[in-house]
Amino acid sequence: MNDTEIIDLYFLRNQDAILQTETKYGAYLNQVAYSILRCREDTEEVVQDTYLKTWSVIPPERPNSLKFFLSKICRNLSFDRIKYASAQKRCFETEELLSEFCELIPDERGSAEDALDAKILGEAINHFLGTLTHSDVAIFLSRYFYANSIKEIAAKYQLPERKVKYRLACMRQSCLRQLEKEGAIH
Amino acid sequence: MSSDKVIDAFAYVDDRYLELVDREIPKERVIPMSTKKTYRSTRKLFLIAATIALLAAFATAAYAVGTRILMRMKNDDTSSEIAFQTTDEDFIRLGTWVPENIPEGYSIDFVSDVSGGNQAVLYRNGANQMIRYEYAKADSAHQVTVNNIEKKETVDIGGCSGILYTCSQSQSLFWTNDMDGIGFCLYAEDKSIDLVAMANSVKKVDTPLVPSNQAATGEAIAAFGDYRVTALPEGFREATVSGYPVGEGEWYGYVLRVYENEARNKQIQFSYETYQVPDDVQTEDPAGYILSCHGEGEAIEINGMPGLTAKHDAINCVYWVDAERGLSFSVTTDACSLQELLPIAQSVCRAN
């Protein structure tokens, strides 16, 4: 079933919509959630929550890309769970990823950060992505959207892990510069 | 915690970028970081792909002879993606466009630089409410998504059509100057502001706006040296220079000079940046390590320093490393061949 037909099922309030979504995107969503949570039990719960959330927002929303619409919901729900989990419950990979997010906007920017709008910041990140090569976009988003580990990214793009690390470190610094230059952070 | 904000911000990443993650990237096409060095060129390449996609996916409209820009929209019930697309192969000059009519209580809070073919100005009032004004060249691959739309109106801005979106917690206005090939957008958190009046007051001015981070460029040049290309091909002139010094506790800084040939609508980018070999890399040849990060290419020497030539997509690149000063240099362009690019790289001199 194609995406338009699945979305139409949501609009018809036909519960087959969830079944079809699960058939087509279940494995993908499991991957998205697991990369962030690194826990099978939590992953299953988040993926189920993703279907429920999707059911509640379509309609009125009609996504252009169902796949990325689902992945954004799944990612948000996964990170929500991480944010509220105690530090003891987080694995090393998650802690490492969160520290990299802090590097993108250091904590000492706290005063300006309070006024930050995630949407404005998101747009600035889009502008930053527009300055990168396609391959760097893929590596950057593999890490910071999909939460893939360095090892996974290196394997996917056939690069040594150390080079992935180096390029991500450069891009984090460069992203911070771009956000500063655009006034997204002061 | 700032990481929460950043994590949330990634939910607004455009689908077109997420699509790139799924694509298989052959090893030889993976090129290393230096976001600045391929800035406009990669934007241009992206534009070609984006234009093809836009033609298929976005609403199209007939346009008058002489029109140099089209505003394309991809709509659904509650959101809209707006992109400015060039209809002209000729060079478009950005210029400086400023609104004269600023809503009461607002003043300029931040001015960005123009290195990406666009410039943004943030205005804030005493209540910390923001208006974001931005203008972009048609070929700058500028794209914005508006969500939670409650109302959409077509408005007239100086004889060109614009679209005003009233959203649940903000309003956005998009319009074009068709003859000059410039796209504009205004975003306000306060829904009572008359954005149409502000848009109608936008005028082209002779005096460029001073970027808020201009001092940073000067600091970067002072810190890393004032390097320039001294043998530019005929018709090229320096269009922009931007940079940022290394911040406290950080290691990355850069200077980027963009040279443009308006007649040919081509660019050459020259950048130099600091680098750092990761702690876990054991190497006695940091310069070689940094060059190897640029992918596969032919080893060369630039003024006695180790370098590399490479071709990434249609972009010819020359990289070299000054290990003594800890700087990594690059010259990139699709305006000439690698053979022609080499003497340009060799002509780089430090002015101070």
Side-chain angles (χ1 to χ4, degrees):
Chain A
M1 190 175 267
N2 69 34
D3 286 0
T4 311
E5 289 167 334
I6 296 173
I7 292 167
D8 286 343
L9 288 176
Y10 280 101
F11 272 80
L12 292 167
R13 308 313 287 157
N14 183 333
Q15 292 190 8
D16 274 356
I18 294 179
L19 187 67
Q20 294 298 337
T21 303
E22 188 175 13
T23 305
K24 190 166 181 182
Y25 292 114
Y28 168 69
L29 293 174
N30 265 289
Q31 213 175 19
V32 170
Y34 184 76
S35 286
I36 298 165
L37 297 162
R38 305 280 164 180
C39 164
R40 289 283 165 215
E41 203 174 84
D42 287 352
T43 296
E44 275 172 33
E45 284 176 26
V46 162
V47 171
Q48 291 307 315
D49 290 347
T50 302
Y51 298 138
L52 290 177
K53 177 82 178 168
T54 307
W55 178 259
S56 70
V57 295
I58 306 177
E61 295 208 42
R62 182 177 280 277
N64 295 322
S65 161
L66 182 59
K67 181 183 177 183
F68 298 134
F69 186 81
L70 291 166
S71 71
K72 284 175 183 174
I73 291 175
C74 185
R75 178 188 181 276
N76 288 353
L77 292 173
S78 302
F79 271 114
D80 282 348
R81 192 167 282 231
I82 289 284
K83 283 177 203 169
Y84 297 111
S86 62
Q88 288 83 2
K89 280 189 174 179
R90 294 176 191 152
C91 64
F92 171 74
E93 282 90 350
T94 307
E95 282 296 324
E96 194 180 29
L97 178 63
L98 291 177
S99 75
E100 288 176 23
F101 275 117
C102 285
E103 243 183 80
L104 281 166
I105 300 183
D107 276 335
E108 57 266 30
R109 302 290 170 88
S111 56
E113 171 240 322
D114 292 339
L116 273 183
D117 180 307
K119 184 177 185 297
I120 299 282
L121 200 53
E123 277 179 13
I125 290 172
N126 279 322
H127 292 169
F128 168 68
L129 294 172
T131 70
L132 300 180
T133 61
H134 289 189
S135 50
D136 276 339
V137 170
I139 290 169
F140 192 75
L141 290 181
S142 291
R143 182 67 176 150
Y144 302 116
F145 185 88
Y146 287 110
N148 292 160
S149 68
I150 306 288
K151 194 184 270 294
E152 288 162 343
I153 297 168
K156 185 174 179 184
Y157 298 114
Q158 300 169 44
L159 289 166
E161 282 180 41
R162 63 184 193 177
K163 287 187 183 174
V164 173
K165 255 183 167 174
Y166 173 74
R167 285 165 64 178
L168 283 169
C170 287
M171 283 191 270
R172 284 196 301 274
Q173 295 257 319
S174 204
C175 184
L176 174 61
R177 293 282 169 267
Q178 179 84 4
L179 299 181
E180 285 168 337
K181 281 180 103 54
E182 289 210 6
I185 56 171
H186 291 250
Chain B
M1 189 179 168
S2 62
S3 65
D4 290 356
K5 281 280 182 195
V6 187
I7 289 166
D8 293 345
F10 274 83
Y12 294 94
V13 165
D14 285 348
D15 291 353
R16 60 187 170 138
Y17 295 124
L18 292 174
E19 278 167 17
L20 294 174
V21 181
D22 291 341
R23 287 191 200 164
E24 203 62 43
I25 302 176
K27 190 180 174 186
E28 65 271 20
R29 288 190 61 207
V30 176
I31 68 171
M33 158 72 212
S34 182
T35 62
K36 302 297 164 190
K37 65 188 67 162
T38 49
Y39 194 69
R40 292 275 292 119
S41 304
T42 49
R43 279 187 165 216
K44 217 163 199 175
L45 284 173
F46 185 83
L47 182 76
I48 295 165
T51 302
I52 294 165
L54 283 166
L55 286 170
F58 279 64
T60 55
Y63 55 92
V65 174
T67 294
R68 306 182 74 192
I69 185 169
L70 280 183
M71 183 162 57
R72 295 191 174 275
M73 283 147 292
K74 193 171 167 185
N75 301 314
D76 59 42
D77 291 345
T78 57
S79 69
S80 188
E81 287 175 31
I82 298 97
F84 297 123
Q85 183 200 329
T86 181
T87 61
D88 197 337
E89 281 296 301
D90 290 340
F91 182 82
I92 291 172
R93 188 187 297 276
L94 181 65
T96 305
W97 301 80
V98 183
E100 290 178 345
N101 182 350
I102 309 300
E104 203 179 326
Y106 284 84
S107 59
I108 289 180
D109 180 48
F110 183 85
V111 178
S112 77
D113 67 29
V114 293
S115 57
N118 59 65
Q119 185 164 44
V121 183
L122 302 188
Y123 301 87
R124 280 189 196 278
N125 66 7
N128 207 29
Q129 288 177 302
M130 184 191 71
I131 298 173
R132 183 183 175 92
Y133 162 68
E134 194 161 359
Y135 58 103
K137 284 163 59 156
D139 63 354
S140 64
H142 191 73
Q143 184 168 321
V144 178
T145 304
V146 182
N147 292 307
N148 303 315
I149 297 167
E150 290 176 345
K151 197 168 138 196
K152 179 179 161 188
E153 299 163 77
T154 303
V155 293
D156 181 90
I157 309 290
C160 297
S161 69
I163 296 173
L164 177 63
Y165 295 95
T166 307
C167 304
S168 53
Q169 292 181 320
S170 63
Q171 53 170 336
S172 299
L173 173 62
F174 298 85
W175 76 102
T176 54
N177 180 318
D178 296 348
M179 296 303 140
D180 287 303
I182 309 293
F184 299 86
C185 48
L186 270 169
Y187 165 90
E189 292 171 332
D190 182 351
K191 288 160 81 173
S192 68
I193 286 173
D194 187 352
L195 287 187
V196 174
M198 193 172 169
N200 269 312
S201 76
V202 169
K203 297 274 185 306
K204 190 172 186 178
V205 297
D206 294 331
T207 314
L209 292 168
V210 179
S212 300
N213 286 325
Q214 195 182 44
T217 301
E219 286 168 29
I221 291 171
F224 312 138
D226 186 3
Y227 290 91
R228 293 162 193 247
V229 174
T230 59
L232 282 171
E234 199 181 331
F236 281 86
R237 61 167 189 87
E238 185 172 288
T240 60
V241 55
S242 55
Y244 219 96
V246 177
E248 203 182 320
E250 297 171 353
W251 58 268
Y252 182 76
Y254 72 93
V255 175
L256 167 72
R257 294 183 184 277
V258 178
Y259 304 98
E260 286 180 341
N261 182 323
E262 296 188 12
R264 290 177 59 200
N265 196 14
K266 292 286 183 188
Q267 286 191 337
I268 296 172
Q269 297 192 17
F270 163 55
S271 76
Y272 45 108
E273 60 194 11
T274 52
Y275 61 84
Q276 187 184 58
V277 176
D279 293 341
D280 56 350
V281 174
Q282 303 293 319
T283 178
E284 288 175 4
D285 178 19
Y289 173 81
I290 297 303
L291 285 172
S292 75
C293 290
H294 290 293
E296 289 167 18
E298 192 184 326
I300 50 157
E301 259 196 18
I302 298 289
N303 301 329
M305 289 173 273
L308 182 83
T309 58
K311 188 165 184 160
H312 299 304
D313 299 320
I315 313 295
N316 292 312
C317 313
V318 178
Y319 306 106
W320 70 100
V321 172
D322 184 340
E324 203 177 300
R325 292 193 169 87
L327 291 174
S328 172
F329 292 80
S330 75
V331 181
T332 60
T333 187
D334 61 351
C336 62
S337 67
L338 267 176
Q339 286 70 31
E340 292 167 319
L341 192 55
L342 271 174
I344 297 171
Q346 276 155 347
S347 80
V348 167
C349 284
R350 185 174 168 154
N352 69 355

